Amino acid sequence: MTQTITVIRGDGIGPEIMDATLHVLDTMQLGLAYEEADAGLVALEKHDELLPQATLDSITRNRIALKSPLTTPVGEGFSSINVELRKRFDLYANVRPAKSFPNTKSRFPTGVDLVTVRENTEGAYIGEGQSITEDGETATLVQKITRKGSDRIVRYAFDLAVRTGRRKVTVVHKANILKTTSGLFLKVAREVAAQYPQIECNEMIVDNTCMQLVMRPEQFDVIVTTNLFGDIISDLCAGLVGGLGLAPGANIGKDAAIFEAVHGTAPDIAGQGKANPCALLLGAAQMLDHLGKPEYATRLRDAIVATLEAKDSLTPDLGGSGNTMSFAKAIASRI
Ligand code: NAI
């Protein structure tokens, strides 16, 4: 059966890495059909809107989107198109795997294989209740955490652990100081954890987590945390394993899911064929897992690892002299 997905080519290096990713997906003959939709600068130029209704309708219809990075121009109405998409579709789980890959010149070429599950819809990060006094001396922000929001994200993390054969979930918090907000998150996390006796659960304060990640990342398996902590921790994890060119992310809700690369539009290398397509390809692998095609997701990840091991046609960020499409073709040839 054909599965239609919404494809957003995006800005900057977006179209290049999307072409490369679709080339690899096509090699696998998955029965995917692509419905293209505009967002970001391209949409602004064509439709005079950053996030056209037709794009929202396409995601609503198909429930699955593969998205390249988007430019959010400064002062154009809302703070970020990505944040807007998360809000519109209630994409409450932000899932970011970080795994050691060969030949990436990272600090941890082996030993890291963890997933950060970040709450995506509440907490300090969404900027609720921001105000500043007239004299500019005092700034305020409301940080709201709910039982519902905490329950569904912690449950998502435990279900992910069960589904993917992972053994441990680390609940990251700051409940010793933020007793109400982080305290509620931790309380709910303990209640949910008790319902998954087969999965080991430990708790860690966020500052210690950062140090532990840098010193002994191999102790982590699944991390679940609130929005702002998750934002920071998942970038730290991407840094451990070789940077943004290898970091994918999924934004998952009940009615829709959007898969993407963590990096931005890289305007400094756009149009030069230098962009590493792996982050979006790994995002596509997350999409295949979500679509119930884990065997294809594994084939795709294995082909990426084999290409990195062979140092075949790697892009300049990985020290190679290949380009975006030659790298993708080298991956496709190993699928
Ligand atoms: P960036 O991630 O675009 O670039 C940071 C550095 O990493 C640059 O030197 C770039 O060349 C390099 N880089 C990024 N992706 C790469 C890849 N695939 N291969 C090789 N090198 C790569 O971050 P920056 O410069 O802060 O943001 C640029 C624009 O991207 C901004 O307009 C920002 O709003 C947007 N952005 C969009 C995101 C999204 O749509 N998910 C996420 C982050 C930023």
Side-chain angles (χ1 to χ4, degrees), residues 11-244:
D11 301 312
I13 59 171
E16 300 162 62
I17 58 171
M18 186 60 81
D19 283 345
T21 299
L22 298 185
H23 172 78
V24 178
L25 289 180
D26 287 343
T27 310
M28 287 195 280
Q29 299 186 326
L30 293 152
L32 290 180
Y34 310 128
E35 186 172 284
E36 300 229 358
D38 295 322
L41 279 190
V42 175
L44 191 65
E45 277 156 25
K46 276 210 238 167
H47 315 281
D48 216 21
E49 271 181 292
L50 285 166
L51 192 52
Q53 187 58 42
T55 300
L56 298 172
D57 292 344
S58 174
I59 299 172
T60 305
R61 205 165 38 244
N62 299 324
R63 301 163 66 103
I64 304 285
L66 185 62
K67 185 185 81 58
S68 274
L70 306 170
T71 305
T72 300
V74 179
E76 285 288 344
F78 38 70
S79 55
S80 156
I81 309 167
N82 296 306
V83 172
E84 184 67 16
L85 281 169
R86 288 171 197 167
K87 269 199 231 157
R88 292 277 183 123
F89 293 101
D90 193 24
L91 305 174
Y92 67 91
N94 189 285
V95 183
R96 292 186 174 183
K99 191 172 184 330
S100 298
F101 287 110
N103 294 325
T104 55
K105 297 188 196 142
S106 70
R107 301 239 169 221
F108 293 93
T110 59
V112 181
D113 182 5
L114 62 87
V115 183
T116 305
V117 177
R118 156 191 173 193
E119 205 293 320
N120 226 5
T121 60
E122 56 185 32
Y125 187 91
I126 62 166
E128 206 176 358
Q130 293 194 80
S131 65
I132 188 150
T133 51
E134 257 172 41
D135 61 8
E137 295 295 318
T138 308
T140 312
L141 164 76
V142 173
Q143 188 182 152
K144 188 164 80 190
I145 296 287
T146 66
R147 168 171 282 280
K148 178 184 164 213
S150 303
D151 186 280
R152 67 179 179 173
I153 196 65
V154 177
R155 209 167 282 286
Y156 186 92
F158 276 92
D159 285 340
L160 179 141
V162 171
R163 200 169 59 241
T164 57
R166 291 182 178 269
R167 61 197 157 69
K168 182 163 121 184
V169 173
T170 303
V171 178
V172 174
H173 65 93
K174 189 75 185 175
N176 52 327
I177 304 296
L178 304 174
K179 291 186 192 296
T180 56
T181 49
S182 213
L184 177 60
F185 176 75
L186 181 59
K187 180 172 185 288
V188 175
R190 285 175 180 165
E191 290 166 11
V192 173
Q195 294 165 34
Y196 294 81
Q198 73 276 39
I199 303 290
E200 184 188 340
C201 178
N202 67 338
E203 298 164 9
M204 206 178 274
I205 293 172
V206 63
D207 35 354
N208 180 33
T209 306
C210 293
M211 184 192 70
Q212 294 290 338
L213 274 166
V214 172
M215 294 186 72
R216 290 200 308 118
E218 67 282 357
Q219 68 183 288
F220 295 94
D221 198 355
V222 177
I223 291 173
V224 64
T225 190
T226 44
N227 206 341
L228 183 59
F229 296 161
D231 179 55
I232 297 163
I233 282 178
S234 57
D235 265 32
L236 194 163
C237 293
L240 295 177
V241 296
L244 290 172

Side-chain angles (χ1 to χ4, degrees), residues 274-295:
K274 288 183 184 167
N276 180 350
C278 281
L280 189 60
L281 276 165
L282 291 165
Q286 285 184 279
M287 178 182 80
L288 296 179
D289 278 330
H290 186 81
L291 288 172
K293 299 178 187 292
E295 65 286 6

Side-chain angles (χ1 to χ4, degrees), residues 250-265:
N251 298 279
I252 306 215
K254 199 162 64 61
D255 301 318
I258 300 181
F259 299 86
E260 62 184 351
V262 167
H263 62 71
T265 57

